[in-house]
Amino acid sequence: QVQLVESGGGLVEAGGSLRLSCAASRNIFSINYMGWYRQAPGKQRELVARITTTGGTYYLDSVKGRFTISRDNAKNTVYLQMNSLKPEDTAVYICNVYSGTQVSGFKDYWGQGTQVTVSS
């Protein structure tokens, strides 16, 4: 059974930091991207950060310079270090893994989500 196990969410004051972790089960092969989306109440889900197997990264403009994504390929784990948090960062953060090949096809896997709340 494929699983993405997230941890690290919580309540923090504005200006504080949190670190999210997402461990993907070993039966996910050929991982291309690992990343984090977020969804705030009444808003669409948006891609926050993504990292490739070779370390290429993407960041949402509003988090550039504050958030850092990293991954441990040996552990199939992705991390999101969030610094200088703002109330507008409040959302459910959802881990995403995109895997597959041209032969097997590609698939998205999703975590359950972890709540991040930033108080002003």
Side-chain angles (χ1 to χ4, degrees), residues 46-118:
E46 61 183 356
L47 176 61
V48 177
R50 172 185 282 170
I51 186 167
T52 69
T53 304
T54 54
T57 57
Y58 161 86
Y59 293 98
L60 184 67
D61 281 347
S62 62
V63 308
K64 286 180 181 177
R66 300 188 297 121
F67 291 10
T68 302
I69 191 169
S70 60
R71 65 187 282 179
D72 184 332
N73 290 331
K75 295 181 179 180
N76 271 12
T77 299
V78 62
Y79 307 95
L80 186 66
Q81 178 66 44
M82 306 185 293
N83 299 328
S84 302
L85 283 160
K86 304 176 180 179
E88 51 263 43
D89 294 318
T90 295
V92 175
Y93 284 69
I94 305 157
C95 179
N96 168 256
V97 169
Y98 182 71
S99 70
T101 67
Q102 294 280 4
V103 176
S104 66
F106 296 92
K107 185 177 177 65
D108 275 305
Y109 297 93
W110 298 95
Q112 293 295 315
T114 184
Q115 178 69 45
V116 171
T117 303
V118 185

Side-chain angles (χ1 to χ4, degrees), residues 6 27-28 100 113:
E6 300 155 324
N27 56 347
I28 299 179

